[in-house]
Amino acid sequence: MPVVVVVGMQWGDEGKGKIIDLFAENVDVVARYQGGHNAGHTICFDEKEFVLHLIPSGIFHKDKLCVIGNGVVVDLRALADEMRQLEEIDIDLEGRLVISDRANIIMPYHGVSDQGREKGDGKFQKIGTTGRGIGPSYADKIARVGIRTCDLRDEKYLHSRLEANYEEKSQVLKSLYGQQLPEFDGLFDDLMGFREVILKYLADTHVLMRDLIAQNKKILCEGAQGTMLDVDHGTYPFVTSSNSTAGGACTGLGIPPTKIDRVLGVVKAYTTRVGEGPFPTELFDEDGEQLGTVGHEVGATTGRQRRCGWFDAVIARYAIALSGVDALILTKIDVLDGFKTIKICTGYKHGGKVFQDMPADPEVLKHCEPVYTEHEGWLQTTAGVRDFDKLPEKAKNFIKHLSDLLETPFLIVSTGPDREDTIQLGPLFPDS
Ligand code: IMP
């Protein structure tokens, strides 16, 4: 069972960083397949906290290979900064970090467009993006005008790719957002400067993955964001611009679907989202505030307050089906410790009907009313519990109820941010 994909089941921020970091101990390779530096994976160990935006969380385990796949969009400045920060804490990158030579580069004009659109004084649809140029960069990829990492190898070709973009971007930035694109030479020199830092890490990561799979290496594919932010299956248009579902691992790393052995889904014991868009179980009361405060629900990338609500089984079932999830990882159950009553949404009420499937239309979803089942809270601490039997009876029942409702077993229950605050209920690789 060498290839495992880990996917977020909600709107991101499910705690994937800790889980990937935990699993990294038992694998040879950790590979990112989509997104960019919009992601923020927080890892806590030795009483220290690190936030990674681009480089896979496996980098903290010294003997692991970390891959940034072709499906990721790479901001060279953000990458170079992250590399420097890791080197400053003595994390060796050479021979351990590999970046796809087919990944698209996020250019400075992508960030300007992204922020311009978001600030557009009502002229454009506000998505609540991270403002990091993710959408415009993927748009250029699909429009076939993107600049790729392999272009850095050939100065003349790189020059021609930037030339092919410059005039258009310059006009768009000026007329739509009132912004001046930096001089061509400055942009080009910046690219050339980053080339020195990045070139030695570039490789054909499809070939690398193919060979690693042939050698039976254990590979963990790390999804960023979450299912409901998937550009095809999420709450469009309030989504990110990549496929965060398990299928993204195939296209974003060049791994055939037949080589994926296991898909694990990470769910938080309640729901959060950042940015705009419908969120049926969102709470605007003291319970929502309590979830946000106790759960420290502040965005790791933008510092924005996350919107909070009860666990939504409609979303979780949808995410399980979309990615073919074999087992689940439940995070932040300890955040529910202080609640007398805990709710789970089991369906949506709309137009006099109750349904269990996700509607495509955001206006319908916006007006869906959640149907809840209630659970008596355990009102005892689960924080730091490492043995399932030591959980309060009511917390065990809650987990069992979730598992029944979602028709999927739990592999891990996480009871705190630290690596050690973990209840493991089964092996990561059952057949090995
Ligand atoms: P973008 O990915 O910056 O274009 O933002 C699109 C939407 O995805 C916005 O609602 C963001 O808040 C959300 N988003 C992007 N990355 C993350 C993440 O890592 N966690 C949670 N939400 C995210």
Side-chain angles (χ1 to χ4, degrees), residues 11 13 38-40 127-130 134 225 229 239-240 274-275 304:
W11 275 284
D13 307 317
N38 49 349
I127 304 293
T129 71
T130 59
I134 307 297
Q225 288 87 44
L229 289 172
V239 292
T240 192
V274 266
R304 288 179 293 178

Side-chain angles (χ1 to χ4, degrees), residues 11-14 16 36-41 114 127-136 224-226 229 237-242 272-277 301-302 304 306:
W11 275 284
D13 307 317
E14 298 90 353
K16 295 181 294 296
H37 65 316
N38 49 349
H41 288 171
D114 192 358
I127 304 293
T129 71
T130 59
R132 305 227 158 162
I134 307 297
Q225 288 87 44
L229 289 172
F238 306 99
V239 292
T240 192
S241 300
S242 60
T272 60
R273 96 169 279 180
V274 266
E276 310 293 314
T301 298
T302 56
R304 288 179 293 178
R306 295 177 187 142

Side-chain angles (χ1 to χ4, degrees), residues 32-45:
R32 272 251 341 237
Y33 59 85
Q34 45 73 230
H37 65 316
N38 49 349
H41 288 171
T42 309
I43 296 112
C44 302
F45 61 92

Side-chain angles (χ1 to χ4, degrees), residues 101 149-155 158 195 199 202-204:
D101 56 7
T149 45
C150 59
D151 303 342
L152 293 170
R153 291 190 182 124
D154 180 338
E155 187 174 342
L158 182 67
R195 177 179 127 115
L199 266 191
L202 294 187
D204 185 331

Side-chain angles (χ1 to χ4, degrees), residues 93-141:
L93 299 175
E94 244 184 292
R96 296 192 49 224
L97 177 66
V98 186
I99 303 161
S100 168
D101 56 7
R102 287 181 171 85
N104 273 250
I105 295 174
I106 301 181
M107 294 293 292
Y109 45 76
H110 292 136
V112 179
S113 297
D114 192 358
Q115 290 157 27
R117 246 176 187 281
E118 288 288 299
K119 281 198 217 109
D121 302 327
K123 271 193 282 185
F124 309 104
Q125 169 91 68
K126 188 172 161 58
I127 304 293
T129 71
T130 59
R132 305 227 158 162
I134 307 297
S137 169
Y138 276 115
D140 275 4
K141 172 179 175 171

